[in-house]
Amino acid sequence: MKADPSGVLTGMHFLDGDHAACEGALAAGCRFVAGYPITPSTEVVERFASRIPMVGGVFIQMEDEIASSIAVLGGAWGGKKVMTVTSGPGLSLMMEHIGLAAITETPVVIVDVQRGGPSTGLPTLPAQADMMQVKWGSHGDYEIIALSPASPQECFDLMIRAFNLAETWRVPVFFMMDEVIGHMTERVDIPPADRIDVVERRWTTKKPGEYRPYAAGPDGVPDMVKAGDGHRIHITGLTHDERGYPAMNPAAQDKLVRRLTDKIRKNREALADIREDGVEDADVVVVSFGITSRVAAAAVDSARAAGLKVGHMRLVVVWPFPEHRIAQMAPRVKAFVVPELNLGQIALEVERAAAGRARTVRIGHAGGTVHEPEQILAGIREAAG
Amino acid sequence: MSQNLAIAADEREYPVENPVIPYLRQERIPHIWCPGCGIGTTVNCFARALTESKRDLDQVAIVSGIGCTGRVAGYLNLDSFHTTHGRAIPFATGLKLSNPKLKVVVYSGDGDLFAIGGNHFVHAARRNMDLTVICVNNFTYGMTGGQLAPTTPIGASQTTMPYGNFENPFNLPFLADACGAVYVARWTVFHVKQLTRAMHEAISKPGFTFVEVLAPCPTLYSRRNKLGDGVDQVKYYKERSVVKHGAATKEVALGFQGDIVVGKFVDRERETWLDGMNAHFEKVLGPRYRRYGE
């Protein structure tokens, strides 16, 4: 279906990433946000608080991020598309509810405008060091999806996709910005509502009594209802059967957890979004995401000017990690170069997928600013040998 | 016995004898609660309060946290949510704001609502979020085996206070009153009629309404403190309860096996959060505002 025009600010704008992300959420149909202020993400909720009274919806500033992260799950079961927004310390507080969202299959978008850590770290300066936390942070086995925008325009465009993926797969979808993308101002074009495709919730067509909340379709995803529809659902964070009732035994655990993980893992290739540039005959491939991809592109240009055969892969979807593509390339490239604003997180995935068939050169950076292109260029030269 | 099972299996063929049966998910019975536990009695009163309220049960949702009382949501035949430890209130806040037609009831224990979840209780009451909170207070953490709760009276023994509790417990009605709840009552599971009426009043009143129910935990609290079984504890409630409607909430703190002041302590009017939002935005934004939730 097409976007509800009341949330779409059609036109050409000059926006930073935080504001553009909010506009993306409104265009995607988000009508309930619960949040808690935290630098450098606060502008997202500030704009939502200012815009939503005229769009039709609710913003509430909760007492902490624990509350925000579960208020949005309540909001989803009340029938709205929902989002919460935070940065590192708040993300750490949200972990238990990421697991609850995963096991209850509640569609939710969580925006993480990354800053330097650990702990309070660098509140006003960038990092990309929460990449493993969003993948593994809550206890137990589960899967999530994570997108990494590289510009304010992508903060708008990819946010719509984030909501669509959350509704399609019923998993937490992380929107992995960073302080630079959040506060960088560029041109953002917002199309008319009738040119924005949005995915409606997977509302069941079954009648009360027939509907089983966790009976999944062929794609591994169950259809959904909201409270008040007469289905008298029971939703629990305990391991549950297709009725949603607690079923605490190894067989039920195996069936549920495999389905929660398989619905993403088995669709890894379909979910992948890799922007490739010149990888076909490359000796060295730079693998990057988010703000770092913009610096990496400059380094790749310099390396090519110096005669090196260098390709560039930008991961728009970071999780699930596109290990199939790395595995395809690994036998024919010398090395992957992985610059990221952390000391080696996604590089571990590249190494794992390459499985010894190509070197992985880490260009780590502890955060606080972005890389210098020369740092990445030096890594490319080293990799090219 | 066999006839009772048949009634449970097919209510269309056999007349329903117990008026509470339609409120329960029969396929989930038997429940997990111990013999002598008071939680089941509170559920019975709640079902009767729902009957008296004549509400459309499709528009009533129940939200629980974790613990023995946290299992209430799973047995009631309503839209029901069993959330995380301490976080039933913020989940309920999101549910209510997302779908304002719902009557949302939070049903949980004293440890869940007032230790790990205390901050959420404080803020939901402050906001006058339109929620009813029912707290079954058994003075202990039952499901984990009888540890210190924020309600444990001074002197009572718990596994993590093995020489008797020395820290001051919450006076829950005083806390709810101070934070802005519009309805505050306390009863025990001995007072089933009064409790049912209080639950009915609480779910009928807009705004943040709070009912505390004292209930025995014979397996852990009573046994460890040599207080007898569930019946003995209900006898204690009967003998030592003092009805004082309108009592000053700061005067209703509980001591170990001491007098229990019960009654309706607070019943006042305040604008709910959503009504306040709609009124405020209409005033400051005028016709640009899209009134929410109607």
Side-chain angles (χ1 to χ4, degrees), chain A residues 2-19:
Chain A
K2 299 297 175 185
D4 165 14
S6 60
V8 182
L9 205 64
T10 302
M12 188 173 73
H13 305 271
F14 195 52
L15 295 176
D16 72 18
D18 281 355
H19 288 81

Side-chain angles (χ1 to χ4, degrees), chain A residues 278 281-286 309-312 333-337 379-380 383-385:
Chain A
D281 59 346
D283 294 328
V284 172
V285 172
V286 177
K309 287 165 79 174
V310 185
H312 188 193
V333 303
K334 281 189 192 165
F336 296 101
V337 173
I380 295 170

Side-chain angles (χ1 to χ4, degrees), chain A residues 236-294:
Chain A
T236 177
L238 289 166
T239 296
H240 43 263
D241 60 21
E242 291 187 347
R243 297 171 300 175
Y245 290 173
M248 286 166 284
N249 59 72
Q253 170 76 0
D254 186 79
K255 186 177 177 196
L256 177 62
V257 177
R258 282 192 197 280
R259 184 173 63 73
L260 294 179
T261 49
D262 280 351
K263 69 180 179 180
I264 299 303
R265 290 179 188 178
K266 290 189 171 170
N267 289 291
R268 184 187 306 278
E269 295 186 27
L271 284 162
D273 183 351
I274 310 166
R275 308 292 164 89
E276 295 183 349
D277 168 29
V279 298
E280 298 76 16
D281 59 346
D283 294 328
V284 172
V285 172
V286 177
V287 181
S288 71
F289 55 94
I291 183 62
T292 304
S293 64
R294 295 172 68 142

Side-chain angles (χ1 to χ4, degrees), chain A residues 75 97 228 232-233 235-236 245, chain B residues 27 58 77 79-80 82 84 98:
Chain A
H97 295 142
R232 309 283 183 95
I233 47 173
I235 305 301
T236 177
Y245 290 173
Chain B
E27 64 275 29
D58 285 344
N77 188 19
D79 281 326
S80 54
H82 181 218
T84 53
S98 172

Side-chain angles (χ1 to χ4, degrees), chain A residues 6 53-55 58 61-63 66 71 74-75 78-80 96-97 227-228 230 232-238 245, chain B residues 25 27 57-59 74 77-82 84 87 90-91 94-95 98-99 120 123 127 288-290 292:
Chain A
S6 60
M54 278 67 78
V55 172
V58 177
Q61 181 174 319
M62 295 299 287
E63 50 272 19
I66 299 173
K80 296 282 190 292
E96 187 178 9
H97 295 142
R232 309 283 183 95
I233 47 173
H234 181 58
I235 305 301
T236 177
L238 289 166
Y245 290 173
Chain B
R25 297 183 190 271
E27 64 275 29
L57 297 184
D58 285 344
Q59 299 301 322
N77 188 19
L78 302 167
D79 281 326
S80 54
F81 298 91
H82 181 218
T84 53
R87 319 301 173 195
F91 183 97
L95 186 64
S98 172
N99 191 348
H120 309 307
H123 287 279
R127 295 183 181 113
R288 289 190 299 155
Y289 177 55
R290 287 170 64 126
Y292 180 76

